[in-house]
Amino acid sequence: PPSLIRVGAGGAAGGGFIDDTPRWPDFAHRVAPQLRAEGWRIVMDESFRHQVAAADGEWRAEVEDKGGWWFSLELGVEVEGRQAPLLPILLSVLNRLTPGAPLESLAAAGLVYGRLPDGRPVALPFERVRRLMEVLVEAFGERAAGAGDRIDLSLAQAVGLEAVAEAVKLRWVGGERLRALARRLAGEGIGDGPPPPAGFRADLRPYQRRGFAWLQFLADEGLGGVLADDMGLGKTVQTLAHILAEKEAGRL
């Protein structure tokens, strides 16, 4: 077999030709180093547009509080010492997803290849971006495909991002109110909440106190929600305690 592969704008000469364009980034990033280790000499011309950039720096999520229950999110990743918007890269990957296919179909040897704004491919670890792509697909579905560098999130949509931030190792910039609300919505910090109002003439059981605390949290934050205890567990008495608390607070 030949010992030289020359790669240019038109493909590879001397060692065979890969005619599946989406596979070129994987060849340049993963296969070529393996071939070099086996003694092949590979020359990539400057015209070869699939040389892969390395996302080897910090990943961040910058949140702007837009007031009410809306937030603006920008995802960023450091690529070769420069910050690049991560959201368009993820969307360039999702745009290749066949309807009904799992996200895993986008990966090659644990990597996915997106496109930087300048058109260069960039390699991202699949297990790290999978959680982010799941949130984007769940929150926006087809609408995500039209997003730019930033995307608007409702509180309900943003809660999913807070839930995966630690696993993805995102550095958060801003969004303190969002993160505090997300933690409370996930059940942290609500606890048994305030005691029932002074005028309430009944005793709440511990699980009913937690339901009452949940209703008070929703009211305090201006949110809507559903109290969905099983039949017979006291939804009525929790609701009555909540209504009386709202009256005593002057909100009803």
Side-chain angles (χ1 to χ4, degrees):
S3 60
L4 170 66
I5 297 178
R6 182 178 299 278
V7 185
F17 174 68
I18 302 175
D19 59 1
D20 185 2
T21 301
R23 293 176 57 193
W24 274 117
D26 186 54
F27 171 83
H29 184 69
R30 188 178 60 85
V31 178
Q34 295 176 355
L35 292 173
R36 288 191 179 102
E38 295 172 5
W40 287 74
R41 189 162 64 92
I42 300 176
V43 178
M44 293 188 182
D45 295 343
E46 291 184 2
S47 61
F48 182 62
R49 66 183 186 277
H50 300 293
Q51 298 194 54
V52 179
D56 51 4
E58 180 181 72
W59 296 34
R60 64 178 177 83
E62 183 174 338
V63 179
E64 178 186 347
D65 195 330
K66 303 189 73 173
W69 306 115
W70 287 93
F71 304 85
S72 179
L73 172 73
E74 180 181 3
L75 298 174
V77 60
E78 188 176 327
V79 179
E80 298 178 348
R82 292 188 175 185
Q83 280 290 325
L86 180 57
L87 185 59
I89 297 174
L90 295 180
L91 296 179
S92 74
V93 175
L94 286 173
N95 286 340
R96 301 199 307 267
L97 186 64
T98 303
L103 290 176
E104 286 77 7
S105 65
L106 297 169
L111 297 169
V112 293
Y113 298 94
R115 289 281 173 181
L116 293 167
D118 63 10
R120 289 182 301 156
V122 59
L124 302 170
F126 173 70
E127 285 304 319
R128 194 170 184 183
V129 299
R130 178 176 60 85
R131 302 288 297 276
L132 289 172
M133 291 194 295
E134 286 174 346
V135 170
L136 291 173
V137 170
E138 181 178 352
F140 299 99
E142 295 297 326
R143 293 193 294 116
D149 291 356
R150 302 186 70 93
I151 196 165
D152 288 340
L153 299 168
S154 68
L155 174 61
Q157 293 165 330
V159 166
L161 281 173
E162 166 64 19
V164 303
E166 184 174 349
V168 177
K169 299 178 182 178
L170 287 173
R171 180 174 71 86
W172 283 85
V173 179
E176 288 79 9
R177 185 171 74 96
L178 166 63
R179 300 182 70 191
L181 285 171
R183 286 191 291 269
R184 295 195 72 189
L185 283 171
E188 301 175 17
I190 297 177
D192 290 336
F200 187 64
R201 303 303 181 193
D203 293 326
L204 295 179
R205 296 180 178 180
Y207 63 87
Q208 293 170 338
R209 283 285 301 272
R210 289 191 290 273
F212 169 68
W214 169 249
L215 292 173
Q216 291 306 112
F217 163 71
L218 294 177
D220 290 342
E221 300 294 347
L223 301 172
V226 175
L227 181 64
D229 285 350
D230 288 342
M231 184 179 294
L233 293 184
K235 293 186 293 296
T236 300
V237 72
Q238 295 173 62
T239 303
L240 289 174
H242 169 62
I243 291 173
L244 183 56
E246 291 299 286
K247 280 189 173 183
E248 292 188 359
R251 292 191 289 221
L252 281 180

